[in-house]
Amino acid sequence: MFISSKNNDIIKQIKKIKTKTRARREEGLFFAEGRRLLSETPAGLLSQVFVSESFAYGDTEADDRLHGLLKDYDNVVEVSDAVFAEISDTRHSQGIAALVKCPVYAMQDLMGEKPLILILENVQDPGNLGTMIRTALGAGATGIVMTDGCVDIFSPKVVRATMGAIYRMPYYRVRDVVSLHDDMKDQVRFFAASLHGQKSYDRCDYTGGTAFLIGNEGNGLTDEAIAVCDEEMQIPMENGLESLNAAMAAGILMYEAHRQRQ
């Protein structure tokens, strides 16, 4: 198949999935773009692949993996360069993109033998969320939980920022932190990162089941979320600095847990 019209129904579907959270959730698909990201996509999650007419494989490791992934895949659609530019979400397109099936997890998939959970309340910045997913994977976290007020995990900017980690980090969505605590309190201890914590983060014990709470970039955690936490601690800061970037704070906490568990 070759698509040369921007008004093609498939192109309209891509645009809708790319821009609308509701469409992604209804169809169970998200938009992924670029050689490296697609080269890490599990074959079973691919729904449809799109390449521009000028696309050609390069000589990188990502290209080799991508070629191996797609050599026997028969649902590849070629589109004109102009049409690909229409669906691309990046300034410098690499000429390959796909509609990918959203992985689905149950809450128990996040727990593991010794849970290390990152709980995000109303995090809004796509770059922050994507970075936290990638950092959580590197630090050995067993899952990420997001409240309904968080940015959609499958928005193109979040997906791109994860650099492939989105395929390997179990996630779950919940209405709010209070109801989540009621469900998890017997398996993990809740730690709130707060400006008002009385104990430094590195003096807490994270060797058991642990959940770190990170709040909204501008407002932090809600009072309701802090109230259900087992411990409220802080990351010490010098020179009058009051707060850190949310993704940076999450990384510090998760890697302290990783250090303690070694």
Side-chain angles (χ1 to χ4, degrees):
M1 179 187 296
F2 181 78
I3 298 176
S4 59
S5 171
K6 297 176 183 179
N7 294 318
N8 182 281
D9 288 343
I10 295 176
I11 302 306
K12 290 180 180 179
Q13 179 196 27
I14 294 172
K15 290 181 181 179
K16 192 173 182 180
I17 289 171
K18 188 177 74 171
T19 58
K20 304 291 184 183
T21 298
R22 182 174 178 179
R24 291 191 287 271
R25 292 181 179 175
E26 287 178 350
E27 299 200 36
L29 297 171
F30 67 95
F31 179 79
E33 181 177 5
R35 298 166 189 260
R36 179 173 179 179
L37 180 58
L38 291 188
S39 75
E40 298 192 22
T41 305
L45 293 182
L46 286 175
S47 177
Q48 200 163 32
V49 176
F50 304 89
V51 296
S52 67
E53 58 186 319
S54 61
F55 173 78
Y57 289 108
D59 57 2
T60 67
E61 289 186 13
D63 282 287
D64 289 342
R65 292 196 304 269
L66 188 58
H67 186 265
L69 176 68
L70 299 180
K71 65 179 180 180
D72 297 320
Y73 186 75
D74 58 6
N75 199 6
V76 179
V77 177
E78 186 178 0
V79 303
S80 69
D81 288 343
V83 169
F84 196 91
E86 188 79 7
I87 64 172
S88 176
D89 196 57
T90 60
R91 181 174 298 178
H92 302 292
S93 165
Q94 295 182 352
I96 187 164
L99 291 180
V100 181
K101 299 170 189 174
C102 299
V104 178
Y105 301 95
M107 187 64 212
Q108 200 56 36
D109 294 330
L110 283 65
M111 301 309 292
E113 186 175 330
K114 190 189 296 182
L116 176 57
I117 308 291
L118 184 61
I119 300 173
L120 307 178
E121 185 185 43
N122 306 330
V123 169
Q124 288 292 298
D125 184 87
N128 276 341
L129 178 54
T131 299
M132 283 189 269
I133 292 170
R134 184 167 175 78
T135 306
L137 184 67
T142 57
I144 289 183
V145 179
M146 298 159 290
T147 65
D148 283 341
C150 287
V151 62
D152 181 26
I153 189 174
F154 292 114
S155 75
K157 290 181 179 178
V158 174
V159 171
R160 194 161 59 246
T162 70
M163 299 179 70
I166 196 165
Y167 301 124
R168 291 178 281 164
M169 176 51 61
Y171 73 94
Y172 199 72
R173 280 190 291 265
V174 295
R175 186 180 70 252
D176 55 59
V177 171
V178 176
S179 59
L180 176 66
H181 177 264
D182 293 340
D183 293 337
M184 296 177 64
K185 61 185 178 182
D186 294 332
Q187 296 171 281
V188 300
R189 285 176 56 81
F190 277 44
F191 293 87
S194 164
L195 297 177
H196 307 295
Q198 297 301 304
K199 183 187 294 188
S200 175
Y201 78 99
D202 56 354
R203 297 182 63 191
C204 298
D205 181 5
Y206 309 128
T207 55
T210 297
F212 291 121
L213 273 69
I214 300 292
N216 175 267
E217 291 88 348
N219 302 313
L221 291 165
T222 61
D223 292 339
E224 293 80 5
I226 291 175
V228 299
C229 284
D230 299 285
E231 198 146 7
E232 188 177 358
M233 41 70 173
Q234 65 168 295
I235 300 173
M237 285 170 279
E238 305 292 340
N239 301 312
L241 194 66
E242 293 186 353
S243 64
L244 292 175
N245 169 273
M248 176 65 74
I252 290 172
L253 298 176
M254 287 187 290
Y255 269 97
E256 172 60 19
H258 180 273
R259 183 191 68 79
Q260 290 186 17
R261 292 174 177 218
Q262 296 306 298

